[in-house]
Amino acid sequence: MGTSRMDINVRRASYRTVIIPPKEINETNNDIRLWEFTGEYTGSSNVLGLVVFSVVQGIAIAQMGEVGKPLQHFYTALGEAMMLITNWVIWVSPIGVFFLVTSKMLEAESFAVMVGQLGMYFMTVLVGLLGHGFVTLPLVYFLCVREIPIKFLINMGQAILTAFATGSSSATLSVSMGCLEEKNNIDPRVTRFVMPIGATINMDGTALYEAVAVIFISQVRHMSLSISQIFAISITSTMASIGAASIPQAGLVTMVMVLDTVGLPAEDVSLIFAVDWLLDRFRTSINVLGDALGAGIVAHLSKKELKKGLVAVSMN
């Protein structure tokens, strides 16, 4: 009739398959059939469920109107408190990062292998970001606007460089809006509506980076991922990037949730600290570029409505 504590813990944990290579691997002993396959339960919370619940609760609070104001103020104050704590952590993070990276270097069996793995991870993220920013996003712009965005991208050069230098979408907001309005002739009503929203929730570069980072960490830990786990990583990375603050290296904070989705410990984030400061600049640049192209698409699709608005204002 009773349920043991072990049974409860097993139900709360997630099951994963672990591949254990032979103790000695060389040219004559690299047969995959010699590797051991085993399984284990890992404790983890339902992060994807929490994200979905948070989204639903936010929609419900918005629908409640004045009745939901106290709960909205509570979450606003909680968010400001967490931002203040995050700023404190950022100030002391260089010391902590130094010791975390040092400990991982000491734990590594081969320093050369670790550097090679980080190099491949760096190149994978960089190729993905550049492909997304300069192939996928311009292609979407071309399909919507029917115009090759080469001139548009050149005019956004100052904003992209500012994003790369600061690592913050919010810090680049004024520059990117100026480039859109003065160089690309985007209506100020569009830029002032689209760009602040984009700087807050459009973190496509961060979502791509987090998904690749979690897969990389799982491979370093010799953990095989199923199709369902990869799908969960994709969804959680997208949702977590929406909630990420537009400050330098904020993606490391939300990545903890993505790691927990597949049962990886939060301290594994330290595996990518050594190259994250540079990748953060690239993904912020892609975020700003995505915001700008989005503003261009909205301006094109809203031409008639914007002209009607101008006519109505002139008549009044």
Side-chain angles (χ1 to χ4, degrees), residues 181 186-194 302-303 305-311 313:
E181 295 173 8
I186 302 298
D187 193 293
R189 291 172 294 175
V190 174
T191 59
R192 294 170 188 177
F193 174 74
V194 174
S302 306
K303 279 184 178 179
E305 288 77 7
L306 293 172
K307 288 182 179 179
K308 290 179 182 179
L310 288 175
V311 172
V313 171

Side-chain angles (χ1 to χ4, degrees), residues 13-18 38-42 223 263:
S14 60
Y15 185 82
R16 68 180 183 183
T17 303
V18 181
T38 184
E40 63 181 10
Y41 284 95
T42 58
M223 173 185 173

